[in-house]
Amino acid sequence: MHTENSRERERERAMADALVGAEVRSIFIYPIKSCRGISVSQAPITLTGFRWDRQWLIVNGKGRAYTQRVEPKLALVRVELPMEAFSEDWEPTKSSCLVIRAPGMDELKVPLRRPGDISCGVSVWEWSGSAFDEGEEASKWFSNYLGKPSQLVRFNEATENRAVDPNYACGYKVTFSDGYPFMLLSQSSLDALNKLLKEPIPINRFRPNILVGGCEPFSEDLWKEIKINKFTFQGVKLCSRCKVPTINQETAIAGSEPTKTLMTFRSDKVLRPTRKHQGKVYFGQNLVCKDSFTGGKGKMIKVGDPVRVVEMVPSCDDAPA
């Protein structure tokens, strides 16, 4: 009983610490899966995550997704959206474009108004369905850049439904994200990792949507429910990391770090000693937003918004992963 009371007091202290001064430091949108992200000061929230996040996907000749895991050159593809695209209720005009650039390539402009052509047999991880085909010019551009048949497609939310794993969050959906609508990481966690690395790495290695400041390192592991401004988010799964964080986003060259160092203190063996070990490393927390998005205005998150912890789990061993 004494031990249980001590753990409860520790958890209450951790929650109190997490309540003080935490705020949104940065917001990142990744319009094309596995290409570079955009740092924005605000972003509209939708059922599938931030608006414009992972709306587009590059696929091979068989419709299968390309990612940095197999095509690290995608790290060098820069994308740009109109500034007003992140304003509330903004809708594209005929001239609105997604602008795409890469080394050695001419600029590509993709109209934001949805195309009429449909491409069937598009697949990413476990999901397959149809998507909008962004046309021959985009196909040639990515085929030339990657040196193999490629196509740019856009998720068709009107006809397709890609569900989040119901074992972790039932009733939620995504577009072309790996698995969850939002991924959150704290600046203090990155700082703690960088103290252990010979060469510090930037946040873009981990591709979060929300970067939080003003909390203890790795405190986000334990966040079961938080409020960002007035919106309620649920932490549904510790984020297990793949090869992508080892890819330098400025050169597209992969190395051994930070995974080598993360394995020493962020592996499932270390963080989840009573669970089955699969050689995974964790860094960040996957989230869903519990609020309804039917009608109404003000569905925005902004840099500087306060982050308040509502509920925590006692340890990583108790967190879904």
Side-chain angles (χ1 to χ4, degrees):
M1 179 65 70
H2 175 72
T3 301
E4 189 173 326
N5 288 339
S6 297
R7 287 178 178 172
E8 184 63 27
R9 285 196 296 272
E10 287 176 8
R11 187 161 64 142
E12 288 175 355
R13 283 197 295 270
M15 284 188 67
D17 289 342
L19 288 169
V20 178
E23 64 175 18
V24 175
R25 286 279 176 87
S26 300
I27 296 170
F28 301 101
I29 312 291
Y30 307 87
I32 306 176
K33 184 177 180 66
S34 263
C35 296
R36 286 195 184 179
I38 302 171
S39 178
V40 297
S41 60
Q42 63 179 30
I45 311 171
T46 75
L47 285 168
T48 58
F50 287 130
R51 189 180 186 189
W52 308 114
D53 192 54
R54 276 86 170 195
Q55 281 283 305
W56 287 269
L57 176 71
I58 305 152
V59 298
N60 65 17
K62 296 181 179 180
R64 188 68 183 169
Y66 282 135
T67 73
Q68 285 189 37
R69 295 166 179 85
V70 293
E71 293 295 340
K73 281 181 66 176
L74 293 178
L76 307 181
V77 177
R78 294 166 294 147
V79 297
E80 181 182 315
L81 282 164
M83 288 287 292
E84 59 270 23
F86 302 99
S87 301
E88 188 175 5
D89 297 329
W90 180 81
E91 292 299 329
T93 65
K94 287 183 179 180
S95 62
S96 302
C97 289
L98 174 71
V99 181
I100 305 171
R101 301 180 179 91
M105 300 292 295
D106 292 334
E107 181 180 274
L108 173 67
K109 290 186 176 181
V110 177
L112 286 183
R113 286 197 167 182
R114 287 182 173 86
D117 292 338
I118 297 292
S119 182
C120 297
V122 170
S123 60
V124 54
W125 304 125
E126 78 301 332
W127 177 89
S128 63
S130 64
F132 290 113
D133 181 355
E134 289 292 6
E136 188 64 25
E137 185 181 359
S139 177
K140 287 181 178 179
W141 195 95
F142 280 101
S143 297
N144 290 336
Y145 180 65
L146 295 176
K148 57 187 71 175
S150 305
Q151 184 181 6
L152 182 66
V153 298
R154 182 174 181 178
F155 197 87
N156 186 353
E157 295 180 76
T159 63
E160 302 300 320
N161 182 63
R162 184 164 173 247
V164 167
D165 187 339
N167 293 315
Y168 294 96
C170 192
Y172 294 91
K173 59 183 183 178
V174 291
T175 52
F176 289 132
S177 300
D178 269 358
Y180 300 91
F182 303 92
M183 203 281 278
L184 177 147
L185 191 59
S186 73
Q187 180 65 51
S188 57
S189 297
L190 179 64
D191 292 343
L193 170 62
N194 277 333
K195 287 179 181 178
L196 302 176
L197 297 175
K198 291 182 179 179
E199 296 183 12
I201 59 174
I203 192 62
N204 64 11
R205 292 285 194 101
F206 296 101
R207 302 174 68 82
N209 294 114
I210 302 168
L211 183 68
V212 173
C215 60
E216 292 298 310
F218 310 110
S219 59
E220 64 268 28
D221 294 344
L222 310 182
W223 293 354
K224 185 175 181 180
E225 185 175 301
I226 62 173
K227 277 193 173 290
I228 301 179
N229 198 343
K230 60 184 178 181
F231 302 105
T232 302
F233 290 82
Q234 181 180 348
V236 295
K237 187 177 184 292
L238 296 180
C239 187
S240 59
R241 310 312 306 214
C242 63
K243 175 186 176 182
V244 172
T246 68
I247 300 171
N248 185 318
Q249 299 294 293
E250 304 302 320
T251 65
I253 297 172
S256 61
E257 294 290 11
T259 301
K260 182 179 177 181
T261 296
L262 286 171
M263 283 295 294
T264 65
F265 75 113
R266 296 292 301 172
S267 69
D268 50 9
K269 184 177 181 180
V270 173
L271 296 179
R272 299 167 60 78
T274 70
R275 309 286 180 153
K276 182 179 178 181
H277 301 147
Q278 299 176 302
K280 293 183 177 180
V281 294
Y282 300 107
F283 203 67
Q285 174 82 264
N286 291 302
L287 307 177
V288 297
C289 185
K290 298 174 68 175
D291 293 275
S292 170
F293 292 96
T294 54
K297 292 189 175 183
K299 307 295 188 183
M300 303 278 290
I301 289 213
K302 300 179 180 181
V303 171
D305 278 349
V307 177
R308 183 168 66 88
V309 179
V310 178
E311 186 177 358
M312 297 175 70
V313 297
S315 71
C316 287
D317 223 3
D318 301 285

